[in-house]
Coordinates of all heavy atoms in Angstrom, one line a residue:
A1 N 0.8 -1.2 0.0 CA 0.0 0.0 0.0 C 0.9 1.2 0.0 O 0.6 2.2 -0.7 CB -0.9 0.0 1.2
L2 N 2.0 1.2 0.8 CA 2.9 2.4 0.8 C 3.5 2.6 -0.5 O 3.7 3.8 -1.0 CB 3.9 2.2 1.9 CG 3.4 2.2 3.3 CD1 4.6 2.0 4.3 CD2 2.8 3.6 3.7
D3 N 3.8 1.6 -1.2 CA 4.4 1.7 -2.6 C 3.4 2.3 -3.5 O 3.8 3.2 -4.3 CB 4.9 0.3 -3.1 CG 5.6 0.4 -4.4 OD1 6.5 1.4 -4.6 OD2 5.4 -0.4 -5.3
L4 N 2.2 1.9 -3.4 CA 1.2 2.5 -4.3 C 0.9 3.9 -4.0 O 0.8 4.8 -4.9 CB -0.1 1.7 -4.1 CG -0.1 0.3 -4.8 CD1 -1.5 -0.4 -4.4 CD2 0.0 0.3 -6.3
Q5 N 0.9 4.3 -2.7 CA 0.7 5.7 -2.3 C 1.9 6.5 -2.8 O 1.7 7.7 -3.3 CB 0.6 5.8 -0.8 CG -0.8 5.3 -0.4 CD -0.9 5.3 1.2 OE1 0.1 5.5 1.9 NE2 -2.1 5.2 1.7
S6 N 3.1 6.0 -2.7 CA 4.2 6.8 -3.2 C 4.2 7.0 -4.8 O 4.5 8.1 -5.3 CB 5.6 6.2 -2.8 OG 5.7 5.0 -3.5
K7 N 3.7 6.0 -5.4 CA 3.5 6.1 -6.9 C 2.4 7.1 -7.2 O 2.5 7.9 -8.1 CB 3.1 4.8 -7.5 CG 4.3 3.8 -7.6 CD 3.8 2.5 -8.3 CE 4.9 1.5 -8.4 NZ 4.4 0.3 -9.1
S8 N 1.4 7.1 -6.4 CA 0.2 8.0 -6.7 C 0.6 9.5 -6.5 O 0.1 10.4 -7.2 CB -1.0 7.7 -5.8 OG -0.8 8.0 -4.5
L9 N 1.6 9.8 -5.6 CA 2.0 11.1 -5.4 C 2.6 11.7 -6.7 O 2.5 12.9 -7.0 CB 3.0 11.2 -4.3 CG 2.5 10.9 -2.9 CD1 3.6 10.9 -1.9 CD2 1.4 11.8 -2.5
N10 N 3.2 10.8 -7.5 CA 3.8 11.3 -8.8 C 2.8 11.6 -9.8 O 3.1 12.2 -10.8 CB 4.8 10.2 -9.3 CG 5.9 10.0 -8.4 OD1 6.4 10.8 -7.7 ND2 6.5 8.7 -8.4
Y11 N 1.6 11.0 -9.7 CA 0.6 11.1 -10.7 C -0.5 12.2 -10.4 O -1.2 12.6 -11.3 CB -0.1 9.8 -10.9 CG 0.8 8.7 -11.4 CD1 0.7 7.4 -10.9 CD2 1.9 8.9 -12.3 CE1 1.5 6.4 -11.2 CE2 2.7 7.9 -12.6 CZ 2.5 6.7 -12.1 OH 3.3 5.6 -12.5
G12 N -0.6 12.7 -9.2 CA -1.6 13.6 -8.9 C -2.9 13.0 -8.5 O -3.0 11.8 -8.3
S13 N -3.8 13.9 -8.3 CA -5.1 13.4 -7.8 C -5.9 12.7 -8.9 O -5.6 12.8 -10.1 CB -6.0 14.5 -7.3 OG -6.4 15.3 -8.4
H14 N -7.0 11.9 -8.5 CA -7.8 11.2 -9.5 C -8.4 12.2 -10.5 O -8.4 12.0 -11.7 CB -8.9 10.5 -8.9 CG -8.4 9.4 -7.9 ND1 -7.2 8.8 -8.1 CD2 -8.9 9.0 -6.7 CE1 -7.0 7.9 -7.1 NE2 -8.0 8.1 -6.2
H15 N -8.8 13.4 -10.0 CA -9.4 14.4 -10.8 C -8.4 14.9 -11.8 O -8.7 15.1 -13.0 CB -9.9 15.5 -10.0 CG -10.6 16.6 -10.8 ND1 -11.8 16.4 -11.4 CD2 -10.2 17.9 -11.0 CE1 -12.2 17.6 -12.0 NE2 -11.2 18.4 -11.8
E16 N -7.2 15.1 -11.4 CA -6.1 15.6 -12.3 C -5.8 14.6 -13.4 O -5.6 14.9 -14.5 CB -4.8 15.9 -11.5 CG -4.9 17.1 -10.6 CD -3.7 17.3 -9.7 OE1 -3.1 16.3 -9.4 OE2 -3.5 18.4 -9.2
L17 N -5.8 13.3 -13.0 CA -5.6 12.2 -14.0 C -6.7 12.2 -15.0 O -6.4 12.1 -16.2 CB -5.5 10.9 -13.3 CG -4.2 10.6 -12.6 CD1 -4.3 9.3 -11.8 CD2 -3.1 10.5 -13.5
L18 N -7.9 12.3 -14.6 CA -9.0 12.3 -15.5 C -8.9 13.6 -16.5 O -9.2 13.5 -17.7 CB -10.4 12.3 -14.8 CG -10.7 11.0 -14.1 CD1 -12.0 11.2 -13.3 CD2 -10.8 9.9 -15.1
D19 N -8.5 14.7 -15.9 CA -8.3 15.9 -16.7 C -7.2 15.7 -17.8 O -7.3 16.1 -18.9 CB -8.0 17.1 -15.9 CG -9.2 17.6 -15.1 OD1 -10.3 17.3 -15.4 OD2 -9.0 18.4 -14.2
L20 N -6.2 15.0 -17.3 CA -5.1 14.7 -18.2 C -5.6 13.8 -19.4 O -5.2 14.0 -20.6 CB -3.9 14.0 -17.5 CG -2.7 13.5 -18.3 CD1 -2.0 14.7 -18.9 CD2 -1.8 12.8 -17.4
V21 N -6.3 12.8 -19.1 CA -6.8 11.9 -20.1 C -7.7 12.6 -21.1 O -7.6 12.5 -22.3 CB -7.7 10.7 -19.4 CG1 -8.4 9.9 -20.5 CG2 -6.8 9.8 -18.6
E22 N -8.6 13.4 -20.5 CA -9.5 14.2 -21.4 C -8.7 15.2 -22.3 O -9.0 15.3 -23.5 CB -10.5 15.0 -20.5 CG -11.5 15.7 -21.3 CD -12.5 16.5 -20.5 OE1 -12.4 16.5 -19.3 OE2 -13.5 17.1 -21.1
S23 N -7.7 15.9 -21.7 CA -7.0 16.8 -22.5 C -6.2 16.1 -23.6 O -6.1 16.6 -24.7 CB -6.0 17.6 -21.6 OG -5.0 16.8 -21.1
K24 N -5.6 15.0 -23.3 CA -4.9 14.2 -24.3 C -5.8 13.8 -25.4 O -5.4 13.8 -26.6 CB -4.2 12.9 -23.7 CG -3.1 13.2 -22.7 CD -1.9 13.5 -23.5 CE -0.7 13.6 -22.5 NZ 0.5 13.9 -23.1
L25 N -7.0 13.4 -25.1 CA -7.9 12.9 -26.2 C -8.5 14.1 -26.9 O -8.8 14.0 -28.1 CB -9.0 12.1 -25.5 CG -8.6 10.7 -24.9 CD1 -9.7 10.0 -24.3 CD2 -7.9 9.9 -26.0
V26 N -8.7 15.2 -26.3 CA -9.3 16.4 -26.9 C -8.2 17.1 -27.8 O -8.5 17.6 -28.9 CB -9.9 17.4 -25.9 CG1 -10.2 18.7 -26.5 CG2 -11.1 16.8 -25.3
E27 N -7.0 17.2 -27.3 CA -5.9 17.9 -28.0 C -5.7 17.3 -29.4 O -5.5 18.0 -30.4 CB -4.6 17.8 -27.3 CG -4.4 18.7 -26.1 CD -3.2 18.5 -25.3 OE1 -2.3 17.8 -25.8 OE2 -3.0 19.1 -24.2
S28 N -5.7 16.0 -29.5 CA -5.5 15.4 -30.8 C -6.7 14.5 -31.0 O -7.4 14.1 -30.1 CB -4.2 14.5 -30.7 OG -4.3 13.6 -29.7
N29 N -6.9 14.2 -32.3 CA -8.0 13.3 -32.6 C -7.7 12.0 -31.9 O -6.6 11.6 -31.7 CB -8.1 13.1 -34.1 CG -8.6 14.3 -34.8 OD1 -9.3 15.2 -34.2 ND2 -8.2 14.5 -36.0
V30 N -8.8 11.2 -31.6 CA -8.6 9.9 -31.0 C -7.8 9.0 -31.9 O -7.0 8.2 -31.4 CB -10.0 9.3 -30.7 CG1 -9.8 7.9 -30.2 CG2 -10.8 10.2 -29.7
N31 N -7.8 9.2 -33.2 CA -7.1 8.4 -34.1 C -5.6 8.7 -34.1 O -4.8 7.9 -34.5 CB -7.6 8.6 -35.6 CG -9.0 8.2 -35.7 OD1 -9.4 7.3 -35.0 ND2 -9.7 8.8 -36.6
N32 N -5.2 9.9 -33.6 CA -3.8 10.3 -33.6 C -3.1 10.1 -32.2 O -2.0 10.5 -32.0 CB -3.7 11.8 -33.9 CG -4.1 12.0 -35.4 OD1 -4.0 11.1 -36.2 ND2 -4.6 13.2 -35.7
V33 N -3.8 9.6 -31.2 CA -3.2 9.4 -29.9 C -2.3 8.2 -30.0 O -2.7 7.1 -30.5 CB -4.3 9.2 -28.8 CG1 -3.7 8.8 -27.5 CG2 -5.2 10.3 -28.7
S34 N -1.1 8.4 -29.5 CA -0.1 7.3 -29.6 C -0.5 6.2 -28.6 O -1.1 6.4 -27.6 CB 1.3 7.8 -29.3 OG 1.4 8.1 -28.0
V35 N -0.1 5.0 -29.0 CA -0.3 3.8 -28.1 C 0.5 4.0 -26.8 O 0.0 3.7 -25.8 CB 0.1 2.6 -28.9 CG1 0.1 1.3 -27.9 CG2 -0.7 2.3 -30.1
D36 N 1.7 4.5 -26.9 CA 2.5 4.7 -25.7 C 1.8 5.7 -24.8 O 1.8 5.5 -23.5 CB 3.9 5.3 -26.1 CG 4.8 4.3 -26.8 OD1 4.5 3.1 -26.6 OD2 5.7 4.7 -27.5
S37 N 1.2 6.7 -25.3 CA 0.5 7.7 -24.5 C -0.7 7.1 -23.8 O -0.9 7.3 -22.6 CB 0.0 8.9 -25.3 OG -0.7 9.8 -24.6
L38 N -1.4 6.2 -24.5 CA -2.6 5.6 -23.9 C -2.1 4.5 -22.8 O -2.8 4.4 -21.8 CB -3.4 4.9 -25.0 CG -4.2 5.8 -25.9 CD1 -4.8 5.0 -27.0 CD2 -5.2 6.6 -25.2
V39 N -1.0 3.8 -23.1 CA -0.5 2.9 -22.1 C -0.1 3.6 -20.9 O -0.4 3.1 -19.8 CB 0.7 2.1 -22.8 CG1 1.4 1.3 -21.7 CG2 0.1 1.1 -23.9
Q40 N 0.6 4.7 -21.0 CA 1.0 5.5 -19.9 C -0.2 6.0 -19.0 O -0.2 5.9 -17.8 CB 1.9 6.7 -20.3 CG 2.5 7.5 -19.2 CD 3.3 8.6 -19.6 OE1 3.1 9.1 -20.7 NE2 4.2 9.1 -18.8
L41 N -1.2 6.5 -19.7 CA -2.4 6.9 -19.0 C -3.1 5.7 -18.3 O -3.6 5.9 -17.2 CB -3.4 7.6 -20.0 CG -3.0 8.9 -20.6 CD1 -3.9 9.4 -21.7 CD2 -2.9 10.0 -19.5
E42 N -3.1 4.6 -19.0 CA -3.7 3.4 -18.4 C -3.0 3.0 -17.1 O -3.6 2.7 -16.1 CB -3.7 2.3 -19.4 CG -4.3 1.0 -18.8 CD -4.2 -0.2 -19.7 OE1 -3.3 -0.2 -20.6 OE2 -5.0 -1.1 -19.6
E43 N -1.7 3.1 -17.1 CA -0.9 2.8 -15.9 C -1.2 3.8 -14.8 O -1.3 3.4 -13.7 CB 0.6 2.8 -16.3 CG 1.0 1.6 -17.1 CD 2.5 1.7 -17.6 OE1 3.2 2.7 -17.3 OE2 2.9 0.7 -18.3
H44 N -1.3 5.0 -15.2 CA -1.6 6.0 -14.1 C -2.9 5.8 -13.5 O -3.1 5.8 -12.3 CB -1.6 7.4 -14.8 CG -0.2 7.9 -15.1 ND1 0.2 9.2 -15.0 CD2 0.9 7.3 -15.6 CE1 1.4 9.4 -15.4 NE2 1.9 8.2 -15.7
L45 N -3.9 5.5 -14.3 CA -5.3 5.2 -13.9 C -5.3 3.9 -13.0 O -6.0 3.9 -12.0 CB -6.3 5.2 -15.0 CG -6.5 6.5 -15.7 CD1 -7.3 6.3 -17.0 CD2 -7.2 7.5 -14.8
E46 N -4.6 2.9 -13.4 CA -4.6 1.7 -12.7 C -3.9 1.9 -11.3 O -4.4 1.3 -10.3 CB -3.8 0.6 -13.4 CG -4.6 0.0 -14.6 CD -3.8 -1.0 -15.4 OE1 -2.7 -1.3 -15.1 OE2 -4.5 -1.7 -16.2
T47 N -2.9 2.7 -11.3 CA -2.2 3.0 -10.0 C -3.2 3.8 -9.1 O -3.3 3.5 -7.9 CB -0.9 3.8 -10.2 OG1 0.0 3.0 -11.0 CG2 -0.3 4.1 -8.9
A48 N -3.9 4.7 -9.6 CA -4.8 5.5 -8.9 C -5.9 4.6 -8.3 O -6.3 4.8 -7.2 CB -5.4 6.7 -9.7
L49 N -6.4 3.7 -9.1 CA -7.5 2.8 -8.7 C -6.9 1.9 -7.6 O -7.6 1.6 -6.6 CB -7.9 2.0 -9.9 CG -9.1 1.0 -9.6 CD1 -10.3 1.7 -9.1 CD2 -9.4 0.2 -10.9
S50 N -5.7 1.4 -7.7 CA -5.1 0.5 -6.7 C -5.0 1.3 -5.4 O -5.2 0.8 -4.3 CB -3.8 0.0 -7.1 OG -3.9 -0.8 -8.3
V51 N -4.6 2.6 -5.4 CA -4.4 3.4 -4.2 C -5.8 3.6 -3.6 O -5.9 3.5 -2.4 CB -3.7 4.7 -4.6 CG1 -3.8 5.7 -3.4 CG2 -2.3 4.5 -5.0
T52 N -6.8 3.8 -4.4 CA -8.1 4.0 -3.9 C -8.6 2.8 -3.2 O -9.2 2.9 -2.1 CB -9.1 4.5 -5.0 OG1 -8.6 5.7 -5.6 CG2 -10.5 4.7 -4.5
R53 N -8.4 1.7 -3.8 CA -8.9 0.4 -3.2 C -8.1 0.1 -1.9 O -8.7 -0.4 -0.9 CB -8.7 -0.8 -4.2 CG -9.7 -0.8 -5.3 CD -9.4 -1.9 -6.3 NE -10.5 -1.9 -7.3 CZ -10.3 -2.4 -8.5 NH1 -9.2 -3.0 -8.8 NH2 -11.3 -2.4 -9.3
A54 N -6.8 0.4 -1.9 CA -6.1 0.1 -0.7 C -6.5 1.0 0.5 O -6.6 0.6 1.6 CB -4.6 0.4 -1.0
K55 N -6.8 2.3 0.1 CA -7.3 3.2 1.1 C -8.7 2.8 1.7 O -9.0 2.8 2.9 CB -7.4 4.6 0.6 CG -7.8 5.7 1.6 CD -6.8 5.9 2.7 CE -7.2 7.0 3.6 NZ -6.3 7.1 4.7
K56 N -9.6 2.3 0.8 CA -10.9 1.8 1.2 C -10.7 0.6 2.1 O -11.4 0.6 3.1 CB -11.7 1.5 -0.1 CG -13.0 0.9 0.2 CD -13.8 0.5 -1.0 CE -15.1 -0.2 -0.7 NZ -15.7 -0.7 -1.9
T57 N -9.9 -0.3 1.8 CA -9.6 -1.4 2.6 C -9.1 -1.0 4.0 O -9.6 -1.6 5.0 CB -8.6 -2.4 1.9 OG1 -9.2 -2.8 0.7 CG2 -8.4 -3.6 2.8
E58 N -8.2 -0.1 4.0 CA -7.6 0.4 5.3 C -8.7 1.0 6.1 O -8.8 0.7 7.3 CB -6.5 1.4 5.0 CG -5.9 2.0 6.2 CD -5.0 3.1 5.9 OE1 -4.4 3.2 4.8 OE2 -4.8 4.0 6.7
L59 N -9.6 1.8 5.5 CA -10.7 2.4 6.3 C -11.7 1.4 6.8 O -12.2 1.5 7.9 CB -11.4 3.5 5.4 CG -10.5 4.7 5.1 CD1 -11.2 5.6 4.1 CD2 -10.2 5.5 6.3
M60 N -12.0 0.4 6.0 CA -12.9 -0.6 6.4 C -12.4 -1.4 7.5 O -13.1 -1.8 8.5 CB -13.3 -1.5 5.2 CG -14.1 -0.9 4.1 SD -15.7 -0.3 4.7 CE -16.5 -1.9 5.0
L61 N -11.1 -1.7 7.5 CA -10.5 -2.5 8.6 C -10.5 -1.7 9.9 O -10.7 -2.2 11.0 CB -9.0 -2.9 8.2 CG -8.9 -4.0 7.1 CD1 -7.5 -4.2 6.7 CD2 -9.5 -5.3 7.6
K62 N -10.2 -0.4 9.8 CA -10.3 0.4 11.0 C -11.7 0.5 11.5 O -11.9 0.5 12.7 CB -9.8 1.9 10.6 CG -8.3 2.0 10.5 CD -7.9 3.4 10.2 CE -6.4 3.6 10.1 NZ -6.0 4.9 9.8
L63 N -12.7 0.6 10.6 CA -14.1 0.6 11.1 C -14.4 -0.7 11.8 O -15.0 -0.7 12.9 CB -15.0 0.8 9.9 CG -16.5 0.8 10.1 CD1 -16.9 1.9 11.1 CD2 -17.3 0.9 8.9
V64 N -14.0 -1.8 11.2 CA -14.3 -3.1 11.9 C -13.6 -3.2 13.2 O -14.2 -3.6 14.2 CB -13.9 -4.3 11.0 CG1 -13.8 -5.6 11.7 CG2 -14.7 -4.4 9.7
E65 N -12.4 -2.7 13.3 CA -11.7 -2.7 14.6 C -12.4 -1.8 15.6 O -12.5 -2.2 16.8 CB -10.2 -2.1 14.4 CG -9.4 -2.2 15.6 CD -7.9 -1.7 15.2 OE1 -7.4 -2.2 14.2 OE2 -7.5 -0.8 16.0
N66 N -12.9 -0.7 15.2 CA -13.6 0.2 16.1 C -14.9 -0.4 16.6 O -15.2 -0.3 17.8 CB -13.9 1.6 15.5 CG -12.7 2.4 15.3 OD1 -11.7 2.2 16.0 ND2 -12.7 3.4 14.4
L67 N -15.6 -1.1 15.7 CA -16.8 -1.8 16.1 C -16.6 -2.9 17.1 O -17.3 -3.1 18.0 CB -17.5 -2.3 14.9 CG -18.2 -1.2 13.9 CD1 -18.7 -1.9 12.7 CD2 -19.3 -0.5 14.7
K68 N -15.5 -3.6 16.9 CA -15.1 -4.7 17.8 C -14.8 -4.1 19.2 O -15.2 -4.7 20.2 CB -13.9 -5.5 17.3 CG -14.3 -6.4 16.2 CD -13.1 -7.2 15.7 CE -13.4 -8.2 14.6 NZ -12.3 -8.9 14.1
E69 N -14.1 -3.0 19.2 CA -13.8 -2.4 20.5 C -15.1 -1.9 21.2 O -15.2 -2.0 22.4 CB -12.9 -1.2 20.3 CG -11.4 -1.6 20.0 CD -10.5 -0.4 19.8 OE1 -10.8 0.7 20.2 OE2 -9.4 -0.7 19.2
K70 N -16.0 -1.3 20.5 CA -17.3 -0.9 21.0 C -18.1 -2.1 21.5 O -18.7 -2.0 22.6 CB -18.1 -0.1 20.0 CG -17.6 1.3 19.7 CD -18.5 2.0 18.7 CE -18.0 3.3 18.4 NZ -18.9 4.0 17.4
E71 N -18.0 -3.2 20.8 CA -18.7 -4.4 21.3 C -18.2 -4.9 22.6 O -18.9 -5.3 23.4 CB -18.6 -5.4 20.2 CG -19.4 -6.7 20.5 CD -19.3 -7.7 19.4 OE1 -18.1 -8.0 18.9 OE2 -20.3 -8.2 18.9
K72 N -16.8 -4.8 22.7 CA -16.2 -5.3 24.0 C -16.7 -4.4 25.2 O -16.8 -4.9 26.3 CB -14.7 -5.2 23.9 CG -14.1 -6.2 23.1 CD -12.6 -6.1 23.0 CE -12.0 -7.1 22.0 NZ -10.5 -6.9 21.9
L73 N -17.0 -3.1 24.9 CA -17.4 -2.2 26.0 C -18.8 -2.5 26.5 O -19.2 -2.2 27.6 CB -17.2 -0.8 25.6 CG -15.8 -0.3 25.3 CD1 -15.8 1.1 24.8 CD2 -15.0 -0.4 26.6
L74 N -19.6 -3.1 25.6 CA -21.0 -3.4 26.0 C -21.0 -4.6 26.8 O -21.2 -5.3 27.5 CB -21.8 -3.5 24.7 CG -21.9 -2.3 23.8 CD1 -22.7 -2.6 22.6 CD2 -22.6 -1.2 24.6

């Protein structure tokens, strides 16, 4: 998870990534977008998705832990 988070810092926020994708596709015709450019964008988006999933898992585990602690107190 830490490795994914460090990678995501290099790519910016999810909103910035989506803006980047949109600008790349709008700047040039879809037919003129290079395969390398699309592969790079795909890698950025996959990393952002992985970071999001890791964060979601972390938050869910914390929630479960908190609920277990509350249950012990009852």
Side-chain angles (χ1 to χ4, degrees):
L2 291 177
D3 184 41
L4 289 173
Q5 288 177 344
S6 66
K7 284 182 182 179
S8 72
L9 293 176
N10 296 330
Y11 300 140
S13 71
H14 301 327
H15 183 70
E16 290 170 338
L17 283 172
L18 291 174
D19 286 345
L20 176 64
V21 170
E22 185 178 5
S23 69
K24 291 279 186 184
L25 294 175
V26 169
E27 282 176 9
S28 58
N29 289 333
V30 175
N31 297 330
N32 295 333
V33 176
S34 73
V35 172
D36 290 336
S37 177
L38 290 174
V39 168
Q40 185 181 22
L41 289 172
E42 179 184 23
E43 289 172 359
H44 288 215
L45 291 170
E46 285 178 355
T47 300
L49 181 59
S50 295
V51 169
T52 301
R53 286 179 175 155
K55 184 65 177 176
K56 178 183 174 184
T57 301
E58 178 186 336
L59 292 172
M60 290 298 293
L61 290 173
K62 284 182 181 180
L63 177 63
V64 169
E65 186 178 309
N66 287 340
L67 289 172
K68 285 181 180 180
E69 287 180 18
K70 286 181 181 180
E71 184 180 47
K72 287 179 187 178
L73 293 174
L74 297 177

